[in-house]
Amino acid sequence: MRSQDPYTQGRVTPDAFARKAPVLGALVAVMDLALEGRELVLESYLTRVFRAGDVCELILSNDSDRGPGDRVPDATYLGFVRIDTAGLLVVGDRVLVRGAPVATLIGFDGTHLPNHYNVVLYSERPRTGVAAGFQVHDGVEFLPAVRPDQSEDGTS
């Protein structure tokens, strides 16, 4: 008998990842696209590991109540990021571009695997990468969510 995966059974939450290193990268393409009715399907996973050199697509949603297992109806595209520092991305991570907060990670869509993952983010005001003024080579940081017992830099 196969055991059930605790990640997909709701027994593991983002809070389980008490400390983790930032994942760093840079934009390799900036997009100018927004699609209503895109209907992305977020995988049930809370986490995905990205290796140095992996490229993923950053997609914004303005649906704050979306998460693993949900559908995301509309999509606004920031662009593609090359991962320079390998690590773990976790639902709830904060995403910064050029050091400024942009969005919060809400899930992963594997539609284009094995080519790349879609990393789906929540933003109250989604804007395309072009509308946000992003440029190729702009730095991207995936930082852990700030827990109540930690400061902004992730320390206690």
Side-chain angles (χ1 to χ4, degrees), residues 89-109:
L89 298 187
V90 179
V91 167
D93 279 357
R94 299 169 291 145
V95 181
L96 286 67
V97 178
R98 294 189 305 222
V102 171
T104 303
L105 198 154
I106 60 171
F108 306 94
D109 170 81

Side-chain angles (χ1 to χ4, degrees), residues 6-148:
Y7 284 91
T8 59
Q9 300 303 312
R11 295 183 301 162
V12 176
T13 68
D15 287 340
F17 305 93
R19 307 275 188 281
K20 72 179 196 76
V23 175
L24 307 175
L27 289 170
V28 295
V30 177
M31 296 182 70
D32 192 19
L33 177 67
L35 296 174
E36 291 183 6
R38 173 64 175 86
E39 296 298 331
L40 295 166
V41 179
L42 300 181
E43 295 178 344
S44 60
Y45 311 114
L46 289 174
T47 66
R48 294 286 82 189
V49 170
F50 288 85
R51 298 169 293 192
D54 283 348
V55 174
C56 57
E57 188 170 10
L58 300 180
I59 301 174
L60 294 172
S61 165
N62 67 347
D63 293 318
S64 64
D65 62 343
R66 303 293 185 207
D70 291 335
R71 285 189 174 275
V72 175
D74 303 330
T76 302
Y77 296 80
L78 285 180
F80 286 81
V81 60
R82 177 194 64 243
I83 302 299
D84 295 328
T85 304
L88 179 70
L89 298 187
V90 179
V91 167
D93 279 357
R94 299 169 291 145
V95 181
L96 286 67
V97 178
R98 294 189 305 222
V102 171
T104 303
L105 198 154
I106 60 171
F108 306 94
D109 170 81
T111 299
H112 300 294
L113 286 174
N115 186 20
H116 69 275
Y117 254 111
N118 293 329
V119 176
V120 185
L121 314 170
Y122 164 73
S123 173
E124 191 173 303
R125 272 191 24 210
R127 296 184 298 163
T128 68
V130 168
F134 297 151
Q135 302 294 321
V136 170
H137 304 299
D138 282 349
V140 177
E141 300 171 81
F142 297 89
L143 303 177
V146 177
R147 296 165 43 119

